[in-house]
Amino acid sequence: MAELAHMVDVYVMGRHYRVPQGLTILTALEYCGYRVVRGCGCRAGFCGACATVYNFRNDAQLRYDLACQKTVEQDMYLVQIPFFPALKAIYDVDRLEPSGEQVLALYPDIVKCYGCNTCTKSCPQELETMWFMSDALRGDIRQVAVKSFDCVMCGLCAARCPQGLVPYNVALLCRRLYGHYLAPVSQHLEDRIAEIRAGKFDAEMDKLKKMGRGDLRRLYDQREIEPA
Amino acid sequence: MYPAHMEESIRKVEATRGRRLQETLRRLSSDEKEPLLREHHPDFIAGKMRQLAVGPNKGEYTPSELADLLEGNSRIDPDKIDLGRVDHDLDVLVIGGGGAGATAAVLAKQSGATVLLATKLRLGDANTVGAQAGTQAADRPNDSPLMHYLDTMGGGHFDNIPELVEALVKDAPEVIRWLETLGVNWDKNPDGSMHELSGGGASRLRLHSARDYTGLEEMRVLRDEVRNQGIRHLEFSPAVELLLDGRGHAAGAVLVNLETNELTVVRAKAVVMATGGAGRLHIQGFPTTNHYGATADGLVLAYRAGAQIIFLDTMQYHPTGAVYPMQILGQLVTEKVRTLGAQLVNAEGGQFIMSLEPRDVVAAAIIRECQGRGKGIATPAGQVGVWLDSPMIDMIRGEGSIARELPAMVRQFGRFGIDIVKEPMLVYPTLHYQNGGIRISADGSTSVAGLYAAGECGGGVHGRNRLIGNSTLDIFVFGRRAGKAAAEWSRKAAPGALSLDHVRRWQKGLEQAGLAGSRPVSPLLLPDYARPMADFLPDSARRSLPVQRVKLT
Ligand SMILES: Cc1cc2nc3c(=O)[nH]c(=O)nc-3n(C[C@H](O)[C@H](O)[C@H](O)COP(=O)(O)OP(=O)(O)OC[C@H]3O[C@@H](n4cnc5c(N)ncnc54)[C@H](O)[C@@H]3O)c2cc1C
Ligand code: FES
């Protein structure tokens, strides 16, 4: 366990602990004896449940990250972010327009962005948050979808926005608008759905379903495989 | 930024890369796979499984860690709960807020039912968000539901229930479109055709993806839809016991507030179980890809209420869990990496298995390479693994492919100073998926009237081994079916008085079998990773304090 040989000093809500080097903020809290209930989901950097802020003993500037992915460093001050509700517009995705006016109608406050860029700086996924917010303002739905795609909806951008905006929900609306209205149609998908509805595969399917294990296995072993 | 001895091995991997780019290993025949699995797959290690001593599947084998919970003691004393005081009264209760639960809730609501969704952590904190590679659906012209059927049956060792596989493959294209209509952004080519990839055990390119954030994309859209539909949902409120009526029909559940221990009684005419998997049981000590709450709760509750389970003698170990750095031990390295062309390579730079065989086969081959043949690479923390040669991808598919197709992987390793465009990743099997579960029919119904199940907690669809991309399909296919069927059932159902008699009978059964004293309380709810502190509690206090005060949750 060579990696565990060194210990680092951290402070949880101000209290001093020594933890093995190489732990994440999440596992360091657990090492200190805390049983986490809130602030922990996938433990793998995908769900955003563990959004956290930290700074250092001699450096008050706040940093932002996912507790399950960030390795602890010497003299880190750790806290957990308290829950706070964020604004989410309620809508029927079937009755929208894929336009900037639509986004503005549902999230009128986005005009209040004054470009401080705090949202971008606070994003643990390193997304260009402020830039997709300005794309949203301009009604460039596709750009918002592209730029915001890797968002885990941890909420740090909303937590830090001095204007109370909710970039992650605005981005979600734009991605849904893109998928529903703007993505090019997949004709082969439509065709296949129609074929299945028309019963094209039913007779063959019945045969397969009734086939004995040996025959099925033979078919399987002989099936031709499309090159990856 | 690998330690020196690992860098040395990487030089060997680089030296053989040119040759390996031309080299394709043959796939194994069914006859060759069987001995490999028998000798090296964790499912076949003697002494790690045990026969269930009580319940509907008495006599069947399952991993000891799961058997303990299935045979566990209830968390509640029926005599202390007033079932006359009902907190929520509705048509359909959905237990679990992952992909299957959210889907079932939306469909039940659309079918006219009143719905409550109860979940253990936040809505969407679930295995679903972790899915990276994609979702299968046979929608390309050279593919068909028949081929998808054959691949799925073969992957499952022909044990799958045919009706369920038929439902899975025939609903699949419809599900892909349904998700798009809800606003999911699929990876597409400029002409609108889906950008599809192959996957282990699939004979066609059939995997629909959303970068390598497929499950996240699916889950965040469904979670938003649950909210838009105004569906009531309770977070941090896991179910700890099902409620039945006098006839043994499902009639609701008892929920507990995870932070305060307050109980909530829910009466419902139908219940959909959608609690997901069991990775956090760390079967055989394996690390896991699963989310914090994947503790088999739904199996425990349904089993106690009399539901049959199926195929719980097999777990899926994903072949490629991260081994280095230790911060991400056991976390998923998506199969998409192999789909895109990366090979599995041993310490000497040699291939040892065709990397797109079904998962159980690849996992067994990696274990054989490391344990049986000693050709793995050890990390400073004492783990062993083999290389997954990611840099090949850009060589095969052109520069920039890795960045475009695998942003999550690039980010995850990049955080620790490893650039997967330039250097391979060290991997070893990790506990990933519960192949079996509560036995379902094609409409999601179980052997308990009024109880439905969908998603990873359900069983039968995948036989003894699930294929890539078939689970994020399963959750929508059977989530939709179960949601609809539960709503329909609730229209006719006339449940009698709420009862916990089945829990009383269960406890009596445990006493009679002599197990009550030796089994844990279950469901587990959450694993306990807090470092244990010295126990100073006097025995008198332990006897007089309620369990919850001795140990929270
Ligand atoms: C990292 C990872 C990658 C994967 N990649 C793929 C892939 O590429 N393709 C694919 O097809 N499949 C993949 N899978 C598998 C697939 O994602 C899951 O099997 C599937 O999403 C499970 O969905 P579910 O809704 O059944 O369960 P989950 O999504 O796990 O949801 C279950 C929910 O139930 C809640 N719950 C648990 N117990 C209780 C209780 N007692 N009371 C109330 N609520 C409870 C949980 O908190 C959770 O919210 C992957 C899985 C993981 C973990
Ligand atoms: S726990 Fe999910 S992102 Fe950290």
Side-chain angles (χ1 to χ4, degrees), chain B residues 96 98-100 125-128 131 133-134 238-239 276 297 332 433 456 466 469 471-472 475:
Chain B
D125 286 347
N127 278 355
T128 302
D297 300 356
L332 185 65
Y433 186 76
E456 194 167 341
R466 169 187 66 96
S471 178
T472 51
I475 61 180

Side-chain angles (χ1 to χ4, degrees), chain B residues 386-529:
Chain B
V386 295
W387 295 113
L388 179 57
D389 197 11
S390 47
M392 297 179 69
I393 297 172
D394 275 7
M395 294 180 175
I396 299 169
R397 296 179 182 258
E399 227 168 274
S401 302
I402 299 175
R404 188 176 59 249
E405 299 271 2
L406 298 165
M409 286 291 97
V410 171
R411 184 175 281 121
Q412 190 148 39
F413 281 83
R415 282 170 164 279
F416 305 102
I418 295 170
D419 180 359
I420 66 167
V421 177
K422 302 210 176 81
E423 298 208 293
M425 297 170 251
L426 198 68
V427 296
Y428 193 78
T430 177
L431 181 56
H432 187 56
Y433 186 76
Q434 172 189 295
N435 290 313
I438 306 162
R439 187 188 177 120
I440 57 166
S441 304
D443 63 352
S445 58
T446 69
S447 55
V448 173
L451 178 65
Y452 297 78
E456 194 167 341
C457 72
V461 191
H462 308 290
R464 293 201 137 76
N465 173 55
R466 169 187 66 96
L467 292 187
I468 181 177
N470 265 355
S471 178
T472 51
L473 174 58
D474 164 359
I475 61 180
F476 302 117
V477 167
F478 292 98
R480 281 159 45 111
R481 285 169 173 254
K484 256 186 265 178
E488 254 160 56
W489 170 271
S490 75
R491 272 198 286 279
K492 301 171 298 200
L498 296 179
S499 152
L500 280 165
D501 281 347
H502 64 290
V503 176
R504 291 190 181 90
R505 278 196 303 277
W506 175 263
Q507 287 300 134
K508 207 172 282 164
L510 283 186
E511 302 278 352
Q512 279 162 0
L515 296 175
S518 60
R519 294 294 179 264
V521 288
S522 62
L524 181 61
L525 303 182
L526 289 176
D528 188 357
Y529 296 136

Side-chain angles (χ1 to χ4, degrees), chain A residues 1-4 22 24 30-38 40-44 46-49 65 69 71 88-91 124-125 145-146 149-151 153 172 175-176 178-180 183-186 188-190 192-193 196-197 201-202 204-205 208-209 213 216-217 219-221 223-228, chain B residues 27 30-31 34 122 132 138-140 142-146 149-151 154 157-159 166 169-170 173-174 177 180-183 185 188 192-194 196 201 203-205 210-211 213 216 220 224-225 228 236 259 280 291-292 326-327 331 380-381 397 407 411-412 415-416 526-531 533 552-553:
Chain A
M1 301 291 273
E3 277 181 315
L4 289 182
T24 61
E30 290 171 339
Y31 181 86
C32 297
Y34 292 85
R35 180 102 191 267
V36 183
V37 174
R38 286 189 188 262
C40 178
C42 66
R43 302 180 71 98
F46 282 82
C47 76
D65 220 317
Q69 296 296 298
T71 309
K88 186 198 117 51
I90 298 297
Y91 48 84
Q125 295 288 84
V146 170
F149 201 84
D150 299 357
C151 170
M153 305 188 66
L172 176 62
R175 286 192 305 272
R176 292 190 69 180
Y178 182 78
H180 190 303
V185 173
S186 305
H188 61 98
L189 176 65
E190 301 302 322
R192 181 54 43 83
I193 292 170
I196 291 174
R197 286 200 179 146
F201 305 101
D202 291 354
E204 283 293 313
M205 186 66 81
L208 283 179
K209 275 166 57 192
R213 187 180 277 261
L216 207 54
R217 187 166 153 158
L219 264 188
Y220 178 76
D221 278 342
R223 78 207 197 288
E224 157 235 340
I225 295 183
E226 181 178 15
Chain B
R27 282 175 202 255
S30 295
D31 289 335
E34 263 157 38
R122 300 177 315 168
Q132 299 168 22
D139 59 5
R140 286 169 60 245
N142 74 343
D143 197 359
S144 83
L146 303 166
Y149 180 91
L150 195 58
D151 289 344
H157 302 285
F158 306 101
D159 288 329
E166 178 185 24
V169 302
K170 277 168 81 178
E174 179 96 40
R177 189 176 60 187
E180 178 162 63
T181 313
L182 283 173
N185 294 191
K188 292 192 176 195
S193 62
M194 294 279 176
E196 296 180 42
S203 63
R204 290 289 180 276
L205 313 188
R211 298 191 187 169
Y213 285 109
L216 172 66
R220 58 195 177 189
D224 199 46
E225 192 56 22
N228 280 351
F236 298 95
E259 288 161 312
R280 292 281 154 194
H291 83 114
Y292 195 32
M326 62 175 260
Q327 285 92 335
Q331 287 175 26
R397 296 179 182 258
R411 184 175 281 121
Q412 190 148 39
R415 282 170 164 279
F416 305 102
L526 289 176
D528 188 357
Y529 296 136
R531 187 162 55 107
M533 299 295 157
L552 282 168
T553 63

Side-chain angles (χ1 to χ4, degrees), chain A residues 34-104:
Chain A
Y34 292 85
R35 180 102 191 267
V36 183
V37 174
R38 286 189 188 262
C40 178
C42 66
R43 302 180 71 98
F46 282 82
C47 76
C50 66
T52 195
V53 298
Y54 63 89
N55 57 15
F56 291 93
R57 198 167 140 81
N58 294 315
D59 179 355
Q61 195 200 333
L62 278 189
R63 277 94 166 166
Y64 316 88
D65 220 317
L66 299 173
C68 73
Q69 296 296 298
K70 177 70 187 168
T71 309
V72 286
E73 293 165 25
Q74 178 64 28
D75 284 342
M76 255 187 186
Y77 266 77
L78 310 177
V79 296
Q80 281 218 288
I81 302 215
F83 170 84
F84 67 97
L87 185 86
K88 186 198 117 51
I90 298 297
Y91 48 84
D92 177 348
V93 74
D94 290 333
R95 301 218 177 115
L96 300 180
E97 286 276 326
S99 68
E101 292 76 48
Q102 181 73 74
V103 178
L104 209 54

